[in-house]
Amino acid sequence: MRLMPRRRFEAWLGSRNHRAVSRTSVLLGTLPRSPFQSLTADPILEKSLGSMHGELRCKRAAFLLSVSSFLLGAAFVACAMLAAGPLCRAVQFIEGLENGPQQRPRNIRRALIERPPGGVVGSPLGALSAGAAALRSGSLLPASLPPPALPGPDLHVPWTPMLTEQDVARGLAYWGSGRRLQAVAAKLLAGKPIKVVTLGGAVAQGRGTSDAAATSYPSRLFQFINASFPHGGHVFVNRGRAGASSGALAACLARDVPGDADLITLDFTLGEHADEAPGERQWRESEQLLRGLLQLPSRPAVVQLNYYAWWLSRAAGKQQGVFYQPPAEAQLVVLSQYYDIPTVSLRAATHQLMQAGVPGFKVDKVLRRKSKSLGGKSIPVAAAKERDDYFYADGAHPSDRGHQALAELLSSLLIRAVGDERAADSGSESRPERWAEREAHPALRAIRRMPPPMIPGNAAPLDSACGAATDPGSEE
């Protein structure tokens, strides 16, 4: 609305009724100061103008109050949406601490991301927990967004690794379903102790190391488990014996293998008779060992380690380093596939590194004197300053570096199982299905629990005697 000029308003004011003009001007807020003062000299007019002025101030105050309330409400909603996530995660972290040491996360960052199982019941923090839950599901938030779950803890070997991620991927000869190994991972994640048993020959015994109790691959595997899941109740049993084969151990299974084992590693690549055809005695004994281990009362996870000796692999006129020799690994992988046993291969993981002469994987020299190849050729000895570059201690057994690579391959199986278990436990049902779903079939369930013998008629144990003179190994 346009305002009158002051002089024109004063001239117009003199020819009009004072009360009508005054009321209109005051309501519009256009009355100049000097005419307004002259007009309010009239008591009746002053009272009327005062009431109207008060009413106008009330309306303006009400309008400002409504605008302020709207702005404050919007700001509260925005702050609530921004603060809801951290508040809920902080409450979940505190709940995880109250649930006990077995549920305690490994670090605060993971605790603020993961969703701990259970809630606070009868706790001083119950009100805070309830408030966070209400905030997640209340009308202030557009949707309830659960915190993202990590695929698994940040597991790694407690030493500087030799193998890269690609090396480990190449060394995985067979994974299968990984069900039993995942059960071991679930037990470790629950804070429970496990019993690990190592079965094998001279390599499992620690041959080739400078200190078998510290640098052999079984010892390093135990170090990895203790460092990743520390528990005073872990039990580690090493049943490695020089010259042992799967057939000899199958005959002594009741004596050498505890019935409550959780994880069993096998390493019999060097002890097997590589020239036997499928179905002959060596194959039958290997299968008998696997069947006996899988049927132990504790239903342990069994994993296979296939060792590779560069200087014992010759064929077609080549004295060492032939990739497909000896063929015992192929035999053992077939059994692993049939019985769903995770398997790693040193040959697949490191053969290219050995060919290229990568430091740490060099094979043209060994550490021990008077070592010979399979053809009787003397093998050069590494100088003291270059010992760390070489993989083998002699023509058949790995050095400390070689044992470290074997331990890393075995550790990779457990790392993967832990990751799978954590992913499944964090709500995998929310992920879209990529493959078909099959209802449990009774016959299929029985076969997966224990399939019929791969070699027909090999269900009954072989007629073998357990040698009483052999050393049953060590236990920690």
Side-chain angles (χ1 to χ4, degrees), residues 9-248:
F9 174 75
E10 292 177 350
W12 177 76
L13 184 62
S15 61
R16 295 291 181 182
N17 183 280
H18 286 259
R19 293 186 179 182
V21 174
S22 301
R23 291 173 183 174
T24 304
S25 302
V26 170
L27 286 176
L28 297 178
T30 60
L31 188 63
R33 180 174 179 82
S34 58
F36 179 77
Q37 290 177 343
S38 64
L39 287 174
T40 54
D42 186 353
I44 299 177
L45 180 60
E46 181 179 1
K47 182 177 180 181
S48 176
L49 291 175
S51 63
M52 281 188 256
H53 192 286
E55 181 181 356
L56 180 61
R57 285 193 300 176
C58 291
K59 290 182 179 180
R60 288 178 178 175
F63 173 74
L64 292 176
L65 181 62
S66 62
V67 172
S68 301
S69 300
F70 173 78
L71 293 177
L72 287 175
F76 175 76
V77 171
C79 293
M81 294 179 66
L82 291 175
L87 177 61
C88 296
R89 294 169 189 171
V91 171
Q92 289 171 351
F93 168 59
I94 298 171
E95 292 173 354
L97 293 180
E98 290 200 343
N99 284 337
Q102 294 183 359
Q103 301 295 338
R104 187 169 298 168
R106 292 178 61 121
N107 58 55
I108 294 178
R109 176 184 176 275
R110 184 170 295 112
L112 294 179
I113 298 177
E114 296 172 347
R115 181 193 298 269
V120 178
V121 179
S123 167
L125 298 172
L128 184 59
S129 175
L135 197 57
R136 282 197 298 264
S137 58
S139 59
L140 291 179
L141 297 182
S144 179
L145 300 177
L150 297 179
D154 185 19
L155 292 181
H156 54 81
V157 293
W159 57 79
T160 302
M162 291 179 58
L163 302 179
T164 66
E165 185 176 358
Q166 291 183 346
D167 299 334
V168 170
R170 290 174 61 87
L172 180 60
Y174 180 76
W175 175 254
S177 67
R179 292 193 308 271
R180 292 200 180 192
L181 198 56
Q182 194 169 329
V184 176
K187 192 171 182 179
L188 288 171
L189 289 169
K192 299 178 181 179
I194 64 171
K195 179 175 285 189
V196 183
V197 180
T198 300
L199 304 177
V203 178
Q205 194 178 31
R207 188 73 61 85
T209 62
S210 58
D211 182 3
T215 58
S216 66
Y217 82 78
S219 297
R220 284 189 177 272
L221 175 63
F222 305 158
Q223 293 167 19
F224 162 71
I225 295 174
N226 270 327
S228 302
F229 303 95
H231 197 291
H234 289 318
V235 177
F236 304 114
V237 182
N238 190 346
R239 291 290 189 255
R241 291 195 299 270
S245 65
S246 58

Side-chain angles (χ1 to χ4, degrees), residues 115 146-150 420-433:
R115 181 193 298 269
L150 297 179
D420 290 348
E421 176 62 19
R422 292 300 296 267
D425 190 54
S426 64
S428 59
E429 67 276 1
S430 62
R431 297 180 299 179
E433 294 293 339

Side-chain angles (χ1 to χ4, degrees), residues 198-457:
T198 300
L199 304 177
V203 178
Q205 194 178 31
R207 188 73 61 85
T209 62
S210 58
D211 182 3
T215 58
S216 66
Y217 82 78
S219 297
R220 284 189 177 272
L221 175 63
F222 305 158
Q223 293 167 19
F224 162 71
I225 295 174
N226 270 327
S228 302
F229 303 95
H231 197 291
H234 289 318
V235 177
F236 304 114
V237 182
N238 190 346
R239 291 290 189 255
R241 291 195 299 270
S245 65
S246 58
L249 185 60
C252 302
L253 189 62
R255 187 198 71 178
D256 290 348
V257 182
D260 58 347
D262 296 294
L263 174 61
I264 300 175
T265 69
L266 302 178
D267 168 24
F268 290 105
T269 313
L270 286 184
E272 305 299 78
H273 302 295
D275 55 348
E276 287 193 359
E280 294 187 6
R281 185 177 182 86
Q282 183 67 68
W283 281 73
R284 298 172 68 86
E285 290 176 342
S286 298
E287 184 179 25
Q288 280 296 319
L289 174 61
L290 292 180
R291 294 182 66 84
L293 295 174
L294 293 172
Q295 294 181 86
L296 287 175
S298 59
R299 293 183 54 79
V302 180
V303 298
Q304 186 97 255
L305 170 62
N306 288 327
Y307 176 68
Y308 177 72
W310 176 276
W311 289 96
L312 299 182
S313 304
R314 66 172 185 169
K318 189 176 181 180
Q319 296 300 313
Q320 71 276 337
V322 177
F323 186 81
Y324 57 84
Q325 290 291 339
E329 179 170 338
Q331 165 191 326
L332 295 173
V333 170
V334 170
L335 288 169
S336 297
Q337 293 170 340
Y338 186 80
Y339 286 99
D340 195 23
I341 295 175
T343 303
V344 289
S345 168
L346 179 66
R347 179 181 67 185
T350 63
H351 194 271
Q352 292 183 352
L353 303 174
M354 294 176 179
Q355 286 180 313
V358 175
F361 300 91
K362 291 184 176 182
V363 294
D364 58 305
K365 299 178 184 178
V366 294
L367 304 187
R368 294 181 178 174
R369 299 181 183 276
K370 299 182 180 180
S371 298
K372 297 184 179 296
S373 67
L374 195 61
K377 178 182 177 182
S378 295
I379 306 175
V381 179
K385 62 180 181 180
E386 58 182 2
R387 292 174 67 88
D388 288 342
D389 292 339
Y390 285 89
F391 196 86
Y392 292 100
D394 53 37
H397 306 102
S399 64
D400 288 344
R401 301 283 288 176
H403 276 270
Q404 178 179 331
L406 293 172
E408 290 176 13
L409 286 174
L410 288 174
S411 299
S412 71
L413 294 177
L414 195 54
I415 290 175
R416 173 167 176 173
V418 169
D420 290 348
E421 176 62 19
R422 292 300 296 267
D425 190 54
S426 64
S428 59
E429 67 276 1
S430 62
R431 297 180 299 179
E433 294 293 339
R434 295 184 177 89
W435 308 108
E437 294 184 5
R438 181 181 293 109
E439 296 182 0
H441 191 280
L444 179 61
R445 186 164 54 248
I447 289 176
R448 285 179 173 173
R449 184 178 181 87
M450 175 51 62
M454 186 185 76
I455 301 173

